[in-house]
Amino acid sequence: GIYLSQNMTDVERLPIIFNSEINGHKYGHIVLAVRFNGKLGAIGLSRRPDLMFKSWGFNTLCDLILDYKESYERWKHSLLKIKVRAYGL
């Protein structure tokens, strides 16, 4: 996502790192939150569609992260940690 959007000067990018656990197995997952015209969406890689892509239209970063949290809970994952990194702001 960062590579594909590197020439877009009017887009803000924020990597979000999720650490989760299910059945004693720990997983790390990175998505790229993208802000354009005051709205957010996200892109990433996952076997689960609702953990991969979030349509553009979230008003706040908190709303976007809470939507991911609900998606993790639907797949029975426990979120251990969420990190938001500054990039391209």
Side-chain angles (χ1 to χ4, degrees), residues 23-34:
N23 299 327
H25 297 281
K26 294 184 180 180
Y27 297 91
H29 182 223
I30 300 172
V31 298
L32 184 66
V34 178

Side-chain angles (χ1 to χ4, degrees), residues 4-74:
L4 294 174
S5 65
Q6 67 185 343
N7 293 327
M8 299 173 154
T9 57
D10 53 347
V11 171
E12 295 178 65
R13 295 167 292 279
L14 289 166
I16 305 172
I17 302 163
F18 297 94
N19 295 110
S20 67
E21 183 175 17
I22 184 170
N23 299 327
H25 297 281
K26 294 184 180 180
Y27 297 91
H29 182 223
I30 300 172
V31 298
L32 184 66
V34 178
R35 181 179 315 185
F36 177 72
N37 280 345
K39 299 288 184 180
L40 289 137
I43 53 176
L45 296 175
S46 177
R47 291 175 289 174
R48 311 291 187 201
D50 56 343
L51 295 176
M52 179 171 30
F53 175 77
K54 297 293 181 182
S55 294
W56 177 74
F58 290 90
N59 290 316
T60 67
L61 185 59
C62 184
D63 292 341
L64 177 65
I65 290 172
L66 285 174
D67 192 86
Y68 269 107
K69 180 182 179 291
E70 291 169 3
S71 296
Y72 274 98
E73 289 170 352
R74 275 194 295 274

